[in-house]
Amino acid sequence: FLVALIRALEAVVRQARRDAQQDGNAACCVILLVLECVVSCIGDILEYFSEWAYVQCAVRGASFVQAARITYCMMTCANVYFVVQDLLINSVVNLGALFSGAVGCAAGAGTGFAVDGQQAAVAGGIIGLWAGLIAGGSAVGVLSSGTKTILALWAENPEPLRQKRPEIHAEFETRILGRLGEC
């Protein structure tokens, strides 16, 4: 609910900024642009936190409110935020989706060109790009979910990871102890 509310507020502010831009009101436009940026950042933070809470819903079967409380405790008490700061998994997911979109675009354009020339190549490229982004984003999104699940379970009970994958457990501990030393 909160994410949808923030995104709706962001759309309202964006429309107000566009109206101010069309009216030539520079001061109002700048103020609304800053407000739009702040609201967008709040929305991004809420979405990111929700991703971690959904992991708790899936792993524990908790309600979303309980999962949000668990996630907050996990991020603060288990020092997982130190590991999260070093995660680049969302960048990998985004690049994977873009790569899939590019491959889909090339395949669609090639097929369209082979079937009916240049006009069909453009339409095929657009359709291929869309299909590639959707399919590729869904496929590589599993990496993000899996990584977050491993971190959430490790924060709750690190012993199974220490026994089965000691090198990953050691890396997590090294990063947390290194960050705690900086504080």
Side-chain angles (χ1 to χ4, degrees), residues 62-146:
S63 71
F64 187 77
V65 173
Q66 289 173 326
R69 289 183 184 131
I70 293 167
T71 301
Y72 177 75
C73 289
M74 178 184 72
M75 292 294 181
T76 55
C77 300
N79 295 317
V80 172
Y81 58 91
F82 291 126
V83 177
V84 171
Q85 288 176 351
D86 289 338
L87 278 180
L88 297 175
I89 193 69
N90 288 338
S91 299
V92 172
V93 168
N94 292 336
L95 285 174
L98 287 175
F99 179 73
S100 297
V103 169
C105 180
T111 303
F113 188 76
V115 169
D116 196 29
Q118 190 173 1
Q119 265 187 327
V122 171
I126 291 170
I127 292 169
L129 174 68
W130 179 78
L133 284 173
I134 298 298
S138 297
V140 294
V142 172
L143 295 174
S144 178
S145 299

Side-chain angles (χ1 to χ4, degrees), residues 1 21 42 94 97 125 127 132 140 151 154 165 168 174 177 181:
F1 172 75
Q21 193 174 13
I42 291 170
N94 292 336
I127 292 169
V140 294
L151 281 173
W154 174 77
R165 300 274 190 232
I168 295 174
T174 301
L177 293 175

